[in-house]
Amino acid sequence: MTTDLATDAPTGFDISRVRALFPALGSGTAFLDGAAGTQTPRSVIEAIGDAYAGGLSNGGGHFTASKRSDAIVAGARQAVADLVGGVPDGVVFGPSTTALTYRFAAPISTVWQPGDNVVLSRLDHDADVRPWVQAAERAGVVVRWLEPSRPSLELQVEQAALVIDSRTRLVAVTAASNVVGTRPDLSPITALAHGVGALTWVDGVHATPHTPVDVVRWGADFYATSAYKWCGPHVAAVVAAPMLLHRLHPDKLASSTDAVPNRFELGTLPFADLAGVTAAVDHLASFEDLAGGVPREVVPGVPVLRREKLRSSMAAVEAYESDLFAQLLDGLARMPRVRTIGSATSRTPTAWFTVAGHTPAEVSAAAAAADVAVWDGHNYAWELAGLLGIRDSGSAVRASVVHYTDAGDVDRLLDVLGSLPH
Ligand SMILES: Cc1ncc(COP(=O)(O)O)c(C=O)c1O
């Protein structure tokens, strides 16, 4: 079964130019696994190679290679600050969002007292659940839940208002579900938290590659994001106001600096990969040109800042992906044996579905045989899979659209699903 997606492709976004930036797409694989990790553009690969080739040394020295490493770190902090709307001194790097969340849960929870509570969401990836659950257990603090409503799997502000109270110390919530794509209305939820003096931790890992991010507007005291979900290397960052970071005292070596943000970064940073982080942010900022000029305000004679470019570039990405996703959902809806999970009004282009008569693993294996990459399983959405009663049955199949996905990729998945035996 083939749709006419190729001819219906959204206009204004030159997808063949975008795809040409990614060497791995030449393999012929339809990479619909972007929610698990994206492919890497040549500019990022070269930035990492160039960093090594140029000579890297440990930071803080007087000689050129050391200064080069320091400059790379400073550049990457600025880049991530631009990406999410923070400031460079508030950008903490680490190996993964999971590691960073554990890293922060320890100092954040030192002030929690028995009788306090923390509010978590069953929509979230386990990386934004278990570190807080375990910290809460240690502190003798109650865990309360934001429950996704069914069948849409959206979070309700009214329900948040019932669980957030004067003893709430932290509200941890995702900016987008990594399986069903739900994008909760963050601002009212974070406003409730701030109204009672609680901190907010927003897991931005899945949201960041799909939309312009604004940590201030979203009310995120802490915002976590992993660069390998947006075409960068396997490095993650937590962004917070430097003043807030100054209040937290993580375990660290006596000999290492107590400066902010460095005191949260254990040991030596991956300098070459951080050069790749900057290149990945520049990549994300580049689509306003590829999109054929997305309208934005230009003051004659004033250079456009990367933050401004990111806003319009990511808006172009969002529009492209959302058109393609509508076509994917439409194709899935035409298949009587396919059941999609969740239907949030505001969502990323990520579909979670089952196919009657086939386990999720059978479906993803059939896709793999056709060189189509999709995931099966709970995808670490542990609480949600449990809530839906599908955690022990292989959960579901996940297909995600990212900015290098094209209509042909979507067609190929639909073809696989259409040809599964009855
Ligand atoms: C929404 C979300 N949060 C957190 C994580 C964990 O990120 P990391 O692999 O960097 O620990 C992921 C990874 O899939 C994710 O999708």
Side-chain angles (χ1 to χ4, degrees):
M1 194 212 74
T2 302
T3 65
D4 278 339
L5 298 189
T7 48
D8 288 340
T11 54
F13 192 87
D14 189 342
I15 187 61
S16 50
R17 280 183 67 191
V18 173
R19 288 174 69 83
L21 302 173
F22 291 84
L25 298 188
S27 68
T29 301
F31 286 103
L32 294 172
D33 64 331
T38 40
Q39 299 308 310
T40 314
R42 194 172 286 101
S43 59
V44 172
I45 298 166
E46 285 175 359
I48 294 170
D50 288 352
Y52 281 121
L56 292 175
S57 292
N58 218 334
H62 295 287
F63 47 97
T64 307
S66 179
K67 289 183 190 301
R68 189 178 294 123
S69 298
D70 288 338
I72 287 173
V73 174
R77 291 200 207 283
Q78 181 66 62
V80 172
D82 286 349
L83 178 64
V84 306
V87 294
D89 285 350
V91 176
V92 176
F93 288 115
S96 67
T97 286
T98 305
L100 281 171
T101 309
Y102 273 112
R103 179 92 182 112
F104 275 88
I108 286 176
S109 61
T110 52
V111 295
W112 297 352
Q113 300 290 333
D116 290 344
N117 66 74
V118 296
V119 173
L120 313 178
S121 131
R122 287 198 208 277
L123 194 59
D124 279 53
H125 188 288
D126 210 36
D128 197 30
V129 174
R130 220 51 51 191
W132 305 117
V133 167
Q134 289 159 1
E137 276 167 7
R138 272 191 288 274
V141 160
V142 171
V143 173
R144 295 179 176 173
W145 294 97
L146 301 175
E147 304 280 1
S149 58
R150 298 210 231 172
S152 69
L153 301 180
E154 290 167 306
L155 296 182
Q156 308 296 337
V157 178
E158 299 73 24
Q159 196 255 325
L162 295 176
V163 289
I164 296 171
D165 67 15
S166 61
R167 297 300 302 269
T168 304
R169 293 289 164 258
L170 175 91
V171 175
V173 61
T174 193
S177 155
N178 66 313
V179 283
V180 294
T182 304
R183 290 186 54 195
D185 192 3
L186 287 177
S187 308
I189 297 174
T190 54
L192 284 169
H194 290 150
V196 296
L199 291 172
T200 60
W201 179 283
V202 174
D203 177 347
V205 175
H206 184 65
T208 307
H210 298 297
T211 190
V213 175
D214 190 335
V215 292
V216 175
R217 193 162 58 78
W218 293 357
D221 294 325
F222 299 89
Y223 185 83
T225 184
S226 300
Y228 75 98
K229 307 286 190 180
W230 34 268
C231 305
H234 293 86
V235 175
V238 165
V239 183
M243 248 172 39
L244 193 49
L245 295 179
H246 277 287
R247 280 169 37 195
L248 300 175
H249 298 278
D251 284 347
K252 58 173 276 303
L253 303 183
S255 46
S256 68
T257 177
D258 200 32
V260 161
N262 319 62
R263 71 179 176 215
F264 296 89
E265 298 167 333
L266 298 176
T268 308
L269 286 170
F271 302 118
D273 279 347
L274 291 179
V277 166
T278 302
V281 172
D282 287 334
H283 168 78
L284 293 182
S286 70
F287 303 120
E288 58 170 7
D289 307 327
L290 284 173
V294 174
R296 60 181 159 77
E297 281 182 13
V298 177
V299 182
V302 176
V304 180
L305 301 175
R306 180 169 49 194
R307 173 91 186 124
E308 290 308 310
K309 284 191 182 181
L310 279 160
R311 257 195 269 267
S312 52
S313 182
M314 291 308 292
V317 163
E318 193 166 21
Y320 171 76
E321 291 180 351
S322 122
D323 283 357
L324 200 51
F325 188 54
Q327 294 169 9
L328 171 62
L329 284 185
D330 190 47
L332 294 175
R334 286 171 204 270
M335 296 184 174
R337 291 188 295 166
V338 171
R339 186 179 71 87
T340 51
I341 303 171
S343 55
T345 312
S346 175
R347 65 189 295 193
T348 59
T350 303
W352 216 29
F353 60 91
T354 54
V355 183
H358 297 273
T359 65
E362 284 168 357
V363 176
S364 67
D371 208 5
V372 175
V374 291
W375 278 95
D376 61 273
H378 54 68
N379 293 124
Y380 295 78
W382 187 253
E383 292 295 329
L384 186 62
L387 183 73
L388 299 174
I390 57 174
R391 194 195 285 158
D392 300 327
S393 58
S395 297
V397 181
R398 180 177 67 182
S400 49
V401 166
V402 294
H403 61 265
Y404 55 71
T405 309
D406 70 2
D409 294 334
V410 171
D411 265 349
R412 284 170 63 188
L413 174 63
L414 295 175
D415 282 347
V416 168
L417 300 178
S419 59
L420 286 170
H422 281 266

